[in-house]
């Protein structure tokens, strides 16, 4: 985090609280995912904020699974969430589960019944909805609203014992049917669900609603600053009401604007649809905005933290351009990625004056951005090389500084060559480019006196290592695939995945390690995919070297 940055509004609140000695100056935050899907880049914003605040103010952060919806939650999701938070570089104080508080929450509900502040309602869901009224008209009381306390206690106990079917009864808070805040019009606290829970099994058949679980969990854990996204603003009054009525630790809720990003769906429910309907190959398909997908694609944790730092924390909704995320990974990989040469669309180049069977080895720094270069690797050179098809033109224009009849270029790390001719097949495709090399022009030891404008990359044919390369692009072709009234399925970018079955790479790539970024010079940033095996390398493009979408936009 940059030291210069001014405080965000939550930091201002915390500093004020510390100054006033609130909670003894203690700062305790939590990150509360529901384990019903994989975390996405929006969650990363919340993680960086919650853990970042605790780090900054010597506090602590809990990882709390908000697991009160048994049908949708799974252990697979719990495990992936833990892995993602750790990978982002954060350590939680306690690993906790709202389900651990089921007994305590039940006790809280009994306390409210005893205070005459909660009742068992037998109205149907439709009837309850009808009783809510409208924002301008008060609601109407349920016929069960004024049940005696003893009857409520007995029925609530029977709900827990499993005497009733799903939906037959609910427990509601008795608050204010005329409140302008609809959330205070006798909200439901508990519902009946005869469902297997991923942790508590069949111990419970009643489950607390979000509003009756979240604030109380915060309070049980002594959370001082409970930050969540803006859509929870109308829930805040209820959050406070339960805590006040229960007379428990006064946690407070603060709301910030969620991350929205162009070309990106940002909701677990919709991401699950993409997975289930086969638009992508799983939650960690590198086109997904999940943290696991970004990791697989080659994003670094540092680049994601940097992104979250740059977008900041504000109280007003906005949409971040996905190119900012791409900028952050380029910034990081430019400094850290090792440079390698790879030819994605090959055509053969023959150096006619280089003796057949002769070889030599050049050396290339791994990372020219690092002071010590981070060592170097050996790059074998021979008479036959692969070059990119686009680096040769039969009829080059004046501004084309690569190969064409009579033109000269430098082969990166090697010699200057001059194009003397080429061969075409019957379809008119160039199959071989013929060149001669200038022996005096060896890179680092060039006494030829020749100046050329272009440098191209290459791979020696007999030494090349092959790989499948997967070129990823944005999954959607419109900026707001999640807009109301649109079916995002109709806006999938058909070119979001392009597979090159056999690309050629310099031989050192057999030593590539998982989790490390490479720059294939002139081509972009790449990383090994998890499906890669010795002898069958699979490589993902993390991001192009430049923002091609910006160029498209300028073209209009
Ligand atoms: P989704 O709508 O994608 O399912 P969610 O809010 O239901 O997200 P939770 O698991 O409940 O997902 O979220 C855990 C935490 O992450 C919450 O505090 C939530 O506010 C925060 N969060 C979720 N989405 C975003 C986002 N796009 N930007 C910032 N924070 C987010
Ligand atoms: Mg949620």
């Amino acid at each position: 985090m940059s030291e210069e940055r001014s405080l965000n509004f939550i930091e201002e609140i915390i500093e004020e609280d510390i100054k006033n000695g609130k909670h003894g100056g203690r700062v305790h935050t939590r990150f509360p995912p529901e384990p019903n899907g994989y975390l996405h880049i929006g969650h990363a914003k919340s993680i960086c904020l919650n853990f970042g605040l605790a780090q900054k103010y010597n506090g602590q952060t809990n990882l709390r699974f908000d697991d009160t919806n048994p049908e949708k939650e799974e252990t697979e999701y719990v495990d992936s969430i833990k892995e993602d938070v750790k990978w982002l570089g954060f350590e939680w104080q306690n690993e906790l589960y709202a389900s651990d508080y089921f007994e305590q929450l039940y006790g809280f509900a009994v306390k409210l019944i005893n205070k005459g502040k909660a009742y068992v309602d037998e109205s149907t869901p439709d009837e309850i909805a009808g009783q809510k009224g409208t924002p301008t008209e008060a609601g109407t009381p349920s016929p069960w609203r004024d049940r005696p306390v003893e009857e409520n206690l007995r029925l609530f106990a029977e709900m827990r014992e499993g005497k009733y079917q799903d939906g037959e009864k609910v427990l509601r808070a008795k608050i204010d049917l005329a409140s302008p805040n609809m959330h205070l019009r006798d909200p439901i606290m508990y519902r009946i669900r005869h469902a297997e829970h991923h942790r508590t099994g069949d111990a419970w058949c009643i489950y607390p609603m979000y509003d009756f679980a979240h604030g109380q969990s915060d309070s049980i854990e002594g959370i001082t600053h409970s930050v969540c996204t803006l859509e929870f603003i109308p829930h805040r009054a209820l959050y406070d009401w339960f805590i006040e009525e229960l007379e428990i630790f006064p946690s407070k809720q603060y709301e910030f604007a969620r991350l929205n990003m162009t070309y990106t769906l940002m909701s677990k429910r919709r991401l699950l649809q993409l997975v289930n309907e086969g638009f992508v190959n799983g939650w960690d398909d590198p086109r997904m905005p999940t943290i696991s997908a970004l990791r697989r694609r080659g994003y670094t944790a540092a680049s994601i933290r940097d992104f979250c730092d740059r977008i900041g924390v504000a109280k007003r909704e906005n949409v971040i351009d996905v190119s900012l995320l791409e900028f952050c990974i380029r910034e990081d990989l430019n400094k850290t990625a090792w440079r390698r040469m790879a030819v994605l669309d090959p055509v053969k180049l023959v150096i006619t004056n280089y003796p057949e069977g002769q070889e030599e080895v050049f050396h290339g720094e791994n990372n020219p951005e690092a002071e010590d270069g981070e060592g170097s690797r050996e790059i074998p050179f021979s008479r036959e090389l692969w070059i990119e098809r686009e680096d040769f033109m039969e009829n080059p224009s004046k501004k084309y500084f690569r190969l064409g009849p009579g033109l000269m270029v430098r082969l990166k790390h090697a010699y200057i060559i001059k194009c003397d001719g080429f061969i075409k097949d019957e379809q008119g495709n160039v199959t071989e480019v013929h060149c001669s090399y200038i022996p005096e022009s060896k890179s680092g030891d060039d006494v030829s006196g020749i100046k050329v404008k272009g440098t191209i990359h290459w791979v020696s044919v007999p030494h090349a290592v092959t790989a499948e390369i997967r070129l990823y692009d944005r999954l959607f072709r419109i900026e707001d695939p999640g807009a109301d009234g649109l079916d995002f399925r109709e806006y999938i970018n058909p070119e979001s995945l392009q597979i090159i079955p056999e690309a050629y790479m310099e031989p050192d790539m057999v030593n590539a390690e998982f989790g490390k970024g490479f720059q294939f010079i002139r081509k972009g940033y790449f990383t090994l995919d998890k499906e890669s095996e010795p002898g069958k390398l699979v490589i993902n493009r993390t991001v192009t070297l430049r923002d091609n979408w910006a160029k498209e936009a300028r073209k209009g």
Side-chain angles (χ1 to χ4, degrees), residues 30-36 39-40 42-43 45-46 50 227-229 231-232 256-260 266-269:
R30 88 287 171 262
F31 173 64
E34 182 178 355
N36 62 348
L39 298 181
H40 51 60
H43 294 111
K45 176 175 180 179
S46 172
N50 278 296
V227 302
C228 60
T229 42
E231 60 276 20
F232 289 96
F256 69 100
R258 57 183 283 115
L259 169 64
N260 302 302
M266 200 77 86
S267 125
K268 279 182 279 185
R269 187 175 54 81

Side-chain angles (χ1 to χ4, degrees), residues 351-409:
I351 304 175
T352 48
N353 62 341
Y354 197 85
E356 233 161 308
Q358 183 170 315
E359 286 177 12
E360 63 192 295
V361 173
F362 297 111
H363 290 89
E365 265 184 348
N366 284 321
N367 183 1
E369 292 290 316
E371 226 159 85
D372 60 357
E374 295 176 8
S376 65
R377 84 285 187 188
E378 296 192 337
I379 315 169
F381 180 85
S382 66
R383 177 182 159 93
E384 296 199 345
L385 310 175
W386 296 116
I387 62 165
E388 298 287 349
R389 187 162 288 279
E390 66 177 15
D391 284 339
F392 172 81
M393 266 179 97
E394 196 179 333
N395 299 301
S397 63
K398 266 222 164 77
K399 286 196 179 143
Y400 188 79
F401 299 121
R402 291 173 268 170
L403 284 175
L407 296 184
M408 294 177 109
V409 291

Side-chain angles (χ1 to χ4, degrees), residues 235-245 251-253:
H235 297 250
R236 194 200 312 139
L238 186 52
Y239 182 105
D240 291 338
W241 188 87
F242 282 130
I243 283 178
E244 272 162 37
E245 290 295 333
S251 296
K252 285 281 173 202
Q253 172 184 305

Side-chain angles (χ1 to χ4, degrees), residues 276-329:
N276 285 344
E277 297 171 25
F279 291 103
V280 294
N281 304 313
W283 283 100
D284 68 348
D285 183 304
R287 292 166 291 179
M288 291 279 273
T290 58
I291 295 175
S292 52
L294 291 167
R295 176 169 63 234
R296 180 173 173 189
R297 181 158 170 168
Y299 274 77
T300 59
S303 70
I304 295 176
R305 291 194 305 263
D306 178 35
F307 171 73
C308 291
D309 196 32
R310 285 172 193 266
I311 58 179
V313 176
K315 274 196 266 196
R316 197 185 301 213
E317 288 284 357
N318 64 354
V319 181
I320 303 293
D321 194 328
V322 68
S323 60
L324 180 63
L325 181 63
E326 294 163 353
F327 170 83
C328 291
I329 187 61

Side-chain angles (χ1 to χ4, degrees), residues 15-174:
E15 298 207 354
E16 192 63 25
D17 287 348
I18 291 174
K19 206 169 75 195
N20 297 330
K22 199 169 168 187
H23 309 307
R26 192 170 62 82
V27 174
H28 203 150
T29 58
R30 88 287 171 262
F31 173 64
E34 182 178 355
N36 62 348
Y38 281 64
L39 298 181
H40 51 60
I41 181 81
H43 294 111
K45 176 175 180 179
S46 172
I47 292 169
C48 290
L49 175 59
N50 278 296
F51 283 91
L53 289 170
Q55 279 172 357
K56 181 163 181 179
Y57 298 106
N58 294 316
Q60 301 182 339
T61 305
N62 290 349
L63 174 62
R64 181 197 322 133
F65 292 96
D66 210 339
D67 56 347
T68 55
N69 282 316
E71 293 101 333
K72 292 186 188 155
E73 297 162 0
E74 291 175 28
T75 309
E76 176 197 342
Y77 298 138
V78 170
D79 295 341
S80 75
I81 289 169
K82 282 160 54 177
E83 185 184 353
D84 289 349
V85 175
K86 262 189 236 158
W87 177 77
L88 277 176
F90 298 107
E91 274 176 53
W92 51 86
Q93 197 63 33
N94 302 294
E95 177 184 331
L96 300 163
Y97 295 82
S99 56
D100 290 338
Y101 310 137
F102 281 170
E103 193 62 53
Q104 217 168 336
L105 293 170
Y106 182 85
F108 287 156
V110 169
K111 179 169 178 179
L112 291 182
I113 294 174
N114 274 314
K115 285 180 80 173
K117 300 283 184 177
Y119 60 98
V120 173
D121 195 343
E122 296 173 34
S123 309
T124 64
D126 281 348
E127 285 165 349
I128 291 178
Q131 292 157 10
K132 285 259 171 182
T134 66
T136 51
E137 273 171 85
T140 47
S142 155
W144 316 103
R145 194 170 197 257
D146 293 315
R147 274 187 206 279
V149 168
E150 283 65 37
E151 198 176 309
N152 281 317
L153 288 173
R154 176 175 58 79
L155 291 170
F156 188 49
E158 287 175 358
M159 281 169 64
R160 174 180 183 166
E161 283 156 21
K163 227 176 146 182
Y164 306 109
Q165 299 301 308
D166 288 8
E168 232 183 288
K169 291 185 171 46
V170 292
L171 184 72
R172 290 176 74 178
K174 193 171 181 178

